[in-house]
Amino acid sequence: MNILILGSGGREHALAWAVMQNPKCDKLIVAPGNAGIAQIAECASFDIEDGGEVVTFVAANAIDFVIVGPEAPLAAGVADRLREAGVLVFGPSQAAAKLEASKSFTKEICDAANAPTAGYGHFTDAEAAKAYIREQGAPIVVKADGLAAGKGVIVAMDLQTALDAVDDMFGGAFGGAGAEVVVEEFMEGEEASFFILCDGKTALPVGTAQDHKRVGEGDTGLNTGGMGAYSPAPVLSDEIAQKALDEIVQPTIDEMAKRGTPYQGVLYVGLMIKDGQPRLVEYNVRFGDPECQVLMMRLGAQAMDLMHAAAEERLHEAQVNWADDHAITVVMAANGYPGSYEKGSVIGGLDAIAADSKNMVFHAGTTEKNGKITASGGRVLNVTARGASLQEARDRAYAMVDAIDWPGGFFRRDIGWRAL
Ligand code: AMP
Ligand code: GLY
């Protein structure tokens, strides 16, 4: 099979790494890719959010199967264009991608599916939103409806912060994403993510994970795209995971099918767990980044067969072969991230790290310049290891981190603390 992966982050490097291990893969192209991906696959450059360009590239390169990494091409309808052209694709339609692209749509689906989630109100004008906030009181959560690169959520511990957030959102701080606002009940508990492959009908769990969103040790400081992750998430016991499947995931998939917009791809289910009860925080229509890196570490080559089965609507006959192991990834980011940071610093020591099925440095924002790997993004490397225990995986991941010579970057020393 000739395979095309769309995307350029650590997530896509991990997907490419898993696909390359599968003997069914004859050729792999990643667009646009990065310096790490270029070491294991061909990279191509075109506009991955333009369905027409993607279809043209697929035809010219005899691609049999497309895996879409990030949400933006999905929200732009790239999977629809590929399906119209008769190309097999892993990733939801534009209509189904609304589960991430619109928070009010997700709430509407939860209502219809009777799925446990935070109580909410949905507003298109600031005064009504503020009246609702005053009535409910703080703490309370204010969310821009649309895609806002993970920045459109304000968890307000006091009333004024919530009221200010409403003004910011309707004032255009998040562009079009803030033209509608969802105000939600603040949920207490422990967060974890549950990853489910879907083929429109069947839901197949492919792992649980927890990430560290804050930039600083002890989960302090500014929010980031994620500074590290591990899998499995101990808080998502088999029993709670089954509850989430029965009460949230399957009813959502059934509701989407009933509406004529079946969900196919990976569903990233963000959960809040308290007293043994999971409630939905959010859906994403893609793998998490860096959660994908730990999931791929654990799944290996079978990940490609599973994604292929989802695209061909045969997940009911698919099975995950679980090794009883743990994986962890430590993100190395450019100094200054998530604020402004410099690009172009040289990363040394990578050649000395032996990559194998248990140890891998996935690249995110890297570029090769004159034979050297340089940093070209905020999150730059995802140092990932697998082991019989989380402690063993973690020790090996940090040993790799310590072998990397990059004065221009930083990382958190405490990834996985909650689970250890
Ligand atoms: P979201 O983009 O919806 O995942 O929100 C980002 C983060 O805000 C989540 O990962 C939670 O930590 C937090 N959050 C979102 N909604 C709620 C809620 N209703 N109650 C408490 N925390 C929330
Ligand atoms: N790591 C969080 C996300 O991918 O949305």
Side-chain angles (χ1 to χ4, degrees):
M1 230 186 303
N2 294 335
I3 298 172
L4 171 67
I5 297 177
L6 301 181
S8 64
R11 169 179 50 211
E12 287 75 22
H13 191 183
L15 289 168
W17 175 81
V19 164
M20 281 304 284
Q21 291 171 51
N22 193 307
K24 292 191 199 97
C25 173
D26 296 310
K27 182 177 181 181
L28 175 64
I29 305 179
V30 183
N34 61 39
I37 294 171
Q39 293 171 352
I40 61 168
E42 194 179 309
C43 292
S45 174
F46 54 89
D47 183 357
I48 64 166
E49 291 177 32
D50 181 327
E53 279 199 37
V54 180
V55 168
T56 303
F57 183 86
V58 161
N61 291 275
I63 299 293
D64 303 299
F65 181 37
V66 180
I67 298 169
V68 184
E71 65 277 17
L74 296 167
V78 166
D80 306 71
R81 299 294 89 72
L82 286 164
R83 284 195 189 98
E84 285 157 17
V87 180
L88 198 61
V89 53
F90 178 79
S93 66
Q94 186 171 37
K98 273 183 88 177
L99 284 176
E100 176 164 357
S102 167
K103 303 220 185 259
S104 61
F105 176 76
T106 296
K107 290 307 229 183
E108 181 192 317
I109 294 290
C110 284
D111 285 348
N114 209 11
T117 185
Y120 73 106
H122 163 230
F123 304 94
T124 49
D125 85 273
E127 283 322 306
K130 288 193 207 170
Y132 179 81
I133 288 170
R134 286 197 188 93
E135 190 186 298
Q136 299 291 320
I140 196 158
V141 182
V142 184
K143 301 185 173 185
D145 184 69
L147 291 177
K151 297 185 183 90
V153 174
I154 304 296
V155 179
M157 298 317 284
D158 62 84
L159 210 55
Q160 197 54 48
T161 305
L163 299 172
D164 290 347
V166 168
D167 283 331
D168 284 350
M169 285 180 194
F170 285 110
F174 301 98
E180 292 183 41
V181 164
V182 170
V183 180
E184 259 185 29
E185 166 200 353
F186 172 78
M187 293 189 284
E188 278 177 32
E190 186 171 343
E191 275 189 274
S193 307
F194 196 15
F195 293 87
I196 315 284
L197 296 195
C198 310
D199 64 2
K201 280 198 209 105
T202 304
L204 182 73
V206 290
T208 63
Q210 278 178 299
D211 76 344
H212 293 265
K213 289 200 167 73
R214 303 299 189 100
V215 71
E217 282 169 13
D219 295 328
T220 55
L222 293 173
N223 259 323
T224 71
M227 292 301 292
Y230 50 94
S231 172
V235 64
L236 257 176
S237 63
D238 290 348
E239 193 189 336
I240 298 176
Q242 192 61 46
K243 246 187 179 180
L245 266 180
D246 295 342
E247 295 177 10
I248 300 172
V249 177
Q250 194 64 52
T252 295
I253 292 172
D254 294 345
E255 179 64 25
M256 294 299 284
K258 197 171 105 192
R259 291 176 180 225
T261 53
Y263 190 88
Q264 189 264 71
V266 58
L267 190 62
Y268 166 152
V269 184
L271 296 169
M272 189 70 83
I273 296 144
K274 189 168 180 252
D275 302 331
Q277 179 63 46
R279 290 207 282 169
L280 183 75
V281 178
E282 61 161 348
Y283 283 131
N284 293 307
V285 299
R286 51 175 173 83
F287 281 110
D289 186 348
E291 292 91 328
C292 185
Q293 289 79 314
V294 286
L295 297 177
M296 291 304 128
M297 238 317 143
R298 294 185 65 209
L299 291 169
Q302 66 178 323
M304 173 182 142
D305 295 321
L306 297 172
M307 291 187 280
H308 192 233
E312 290 193 327
E313 297 178 27
R314 10 175 218 91
L315 272 184
H316 56 279
E317 59 187 45
Q319 231 187 337
V320 182
N321 293 316
W322 284 114
D324 198 9
D325 58 8
H326 298 254
I328 191 164
T329 187
V330 178
V331 171
M332 298 183 79
N335 291 338
Y337 175 81
S340 63
Y341 51 83
E342 275 188 20
K343 294 185 182 178
S345 57
V346 173
I347 303 164
L350 290 169
D351 290 342
I353 294 175
D356 56 33
S357 65
K358 289 189 163 179
N359 302 283
M360 185 66 202
V361 179
F362 295 118
H363 290 218
T366 62
T367 305
E368 197 202 300
K369 260 192 203 141
N370 308 323
K372 293 202 165 88
I373 302 290
T374 65
S376 54
R379 291 189 297 169
V380 174
L381 298 173
N382 308 143
V383 184
T384 311
R386 182 160 70 92
S389 66
L390 184 61
Q391 187 67 54
E392 184 204 322
R394 188 194 209 217
D395 289 345
R396 270 193 289 104
Y398 278 111
M400 286 190 278
V401 166
D402 289 334
I404 293 171
D405 175 21
W406 182 32
F410 75 98
F411 58 92
R412 279 178 59 170
R413 230 344 126 188
D414 65 344
I415 301 305
W417 68 267
R418 198 187 287 279
L420 285 169

